[in-house]
């Protein structure tokens, strides 16, 4: 399903994605995601894949969470905004639960 900014307010999602995009990455964040969303050409599955990819490449398998704490909170914010907009998947729900269980210490 295409995400149409004329039919829903994506401003909070765009703000969350912008914060995530501004962080350094080991993997490859897709900077055109925000532009594509604003143009009304982004598919929901693209957003699900972006979240899953960012989690797998930047956060998954870490023992020391301190270096990636801010990134985990930024990705959690993206997922929260997706859920507000009704964009849910089993994979993003599992990622949300995992990140929500993280403790900073």
């Amino acid at each position: 399903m295409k995400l149409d900014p004329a039919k829903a307010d994506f401003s909070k999602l765009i703000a969350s994605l912008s914060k995530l995009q501004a962080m350094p990455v080991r993997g490859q964040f897709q900077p055109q995601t925000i532009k594509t969303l604003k143009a009304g050409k982004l598919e929901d599955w693209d957003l699900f894949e972006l979240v899953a990819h960012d989690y797998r490449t930047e956060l998954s398998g870490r023992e020391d969470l301190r270096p990636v704490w801010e990134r985990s909170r930024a990705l959690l914010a993206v997922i929260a905004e997706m859920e507000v907009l009704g964009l849910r998947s089993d994979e993003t729900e599992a990622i949300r639960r995992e990140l929500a269980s993280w403790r900073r210490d």
Side-chain angles (χ1 to χ4, degrees), residues 2-102:
K2 284 193 178 174
L3 305 178
D4 188 354
K7 295 181 180 177
D9 181 11
F10 291 104
S11 60
K12 290 182 180 178
L13 178 61
I14 290 169
S16 295
L17 286 168
S18 295
K19 184 175 180 181
L20 186 66
Q21 181 181 0
M23 297 180 171
V25 295
R26 293 182 314 187
Q28 183 74 350
F29 184 87
Q30 300 173 358
Q32 71 274 14
T33 301
I34 295 169
K35 182 179 175 182
T36 307
L37 175 59
K38 287 179 178 178
K41 297 180 180 181
L42 187 70
E43 297 280 343
D44 58 353
W45 58 267
D46 288 326
L47 197 51
F48 294 135
E49 182 53 36
L50 178 125
V51 167
H53 176 74
D54 195 78
Y55 174 74
R56 285 190 303 265
T57 59
E58 302 298 326
L59 303 172
S60 180
R62 297 276 189 144
E63 288 185 30
D64 183 4
L65 303 178
R66 291 173 296 172
V68 293
W69 181 256
E70 293 303 319
R71 179 170 211 91
S72 72
R73 301 303 95 182
L75 189 58
L76 198 54
V78 169
I79 294 169
E81 288 306 319
M82 289 171 62
E83 289 176 349
V84 166
L85 294 165
L87 303 172
R88 293 178 174 85
S89 76
D90 292 340
E91 186 171 25
T92 56
E93 174 60 22
I95 293 168
R96 186 195 63 73
R97 281 193 312 268
E98 173 65 24
L99 294 177
S101 74
W102 284 16

